[in-house]
Amino acid sequence: MEIKMRWKVLEEKEVFKVKNRLSITVQKIKLPNGKIVDDYYQIHFPESVVIVARTQEKKIILLKHYLHGFRRESIVLVGGQVEGKETALETAKRELLEETGYTSHDWLPLGSIVPHVNQICGKVHFFFADKARKTAKPTSNDLEDMKVIFKNKKEIVDCIRSKKIISMGTIVALSLAKIYLQRGSYFAK
């Protein structure tokens, strides 16, 4: 059974914007039952990527650094914002090289999600990069002072349990990679 109840946007106004970072809009909407909602907010973020990169030695490449949103140091996967007319894959390759100095010729898209389906909050694309190898020095211009670290599966699980890894994007990406890797042939379509 298909549900075809669509909300009708009667008005939409941008109430806040930071160029290339975020915007907030407020909508006046009409629900299928006729009810009018005057203040339905949408939060718009740019698209982003999160990369599970595995070295030739089967270690996952992670970053350890202070994250101001969490107000503490944490461990995360490589990731970043899609810029300009880049594809998500181009962004993933750029971010892996910039933040870690590693590259890979073995990429697999793991899927995409919308973090908050009611308020939008951007789209996040997940990738697995296998047989990554060091080809340059990191050149990231991020605000954070990052340390590149490497962990095996058991160490990653321990980091999640001990709350050293608390990023939803990192945990989702690691979970998706595990699903694909357990199939035996993660490049199968």
Side-chain angles (χ1 to χ4, degrees):
M1 180 175 92
E2 187 177 326
I3 298 174
K4 293 188 178 187
M5 293 192 240
R6 301 240 181 227
W7 296 4
K8 184 173 182 184
V9 178
L10 303 174
E11 296 173 20
E12 183 170 26
K13 177 172 85 171
E14 187 172 73
V15 293
F16 182 78
K17 181 173 184 153
V18 177
K19 187 177 178 182
N20 299 324
R21 292 282 182 193
L22 77 115
S23 70
I24 299 173
T25 58
V26 62
Q27 296 176 338
K28 181 178 184 178
I29 56 172
K30 183 176 182 181
L31 301 178
N33 65 6
K35 180 179 178 180
I36 303 293
V37 178
D38 292 316
D39 58 351
Y40 195 84
Y41 287 89
Q42 301 276 276
I43 304 167
H44 307 269
F45 288 109
E47 291 188 20
S48 60
V49 299
V50 178
I51 306 109
V52 178
R54 185 170 70 174
T55 66
Q56 295 171 326
E57 298 77 29
K58 307 288 187 207
K59 296 271 189 157
I60 301 299
I61 302 170
L62 297 146
L63 301 170
K64 184 176 186 178
H65 58 107
Y66 173 77
L67 297 171
H68 191 64
F70 294 135
R71 306 290 197 271
R72 67 177 217 187
E73 188 175 82
S74 186
I75 297 171
V76 296
L77 290 168
V78 175
Q81 179 177 310
V82 175
E83 295 180 1
K85 295 185 185 241
E86 279 182 326
T87 66
L89 179 58
E90 290 168 339
T91 299
K93 290 178 178 183
R94 175 181 54 78
E95 289 289 346
L96 182 62
L97 178 61
E98 285 178 2
E99 293 186 357
T100 69
Y102 278 73
T103 58
S104 172
H105 297 293
D106 208 347
W107 288 85
L108 172 74
L110 297 173
S112 303
I113 65 165
V114 176
H116 195 298
V117 294
N118 287 322
Q119 268 64 51
I120 301 178
C121 298
K123 188 178 210 178
V124 183
H125 306 277
F126 300 99
F127 292 93
F128 179 73
D130 204 14
K131 301 180 189 95
R133 58 187 180 85
K134 181 99 173 185
T135 57
K137 288 186 176 184
T139 60
S140 179
N141 295 334
D142 285 349
L143 298 173
E144 311 94 24
D145 187 20
M146 297 182 279
K147 180 180 179 186
V148 178
I149 62 173
F150 306 88
K151 301 257 183 220
N152 62 34
K153 289 188 285 187
K154 182 192 177 312
E155 292 168 326
I156 289 171
V157 170
D158 290 345
C159 286
I160 293 169
R161 285 186 177 137
S162 65
K163 296 184 177 41
K164 290 178 184 167
I165 295 176
I166 56 176
S167 162
M168 177 176 61
T170 292
I171 293 170
V172 168
L174 290 166
S175 299
L176 289 171
K178 182 177 181 182
I179 290 166
Y180 280 98
L181 290 170
Q182 285 179 335
R183 288 184 175 172
S185 176
Y186 58 86
F187 286 105
K189 297 201 181 210

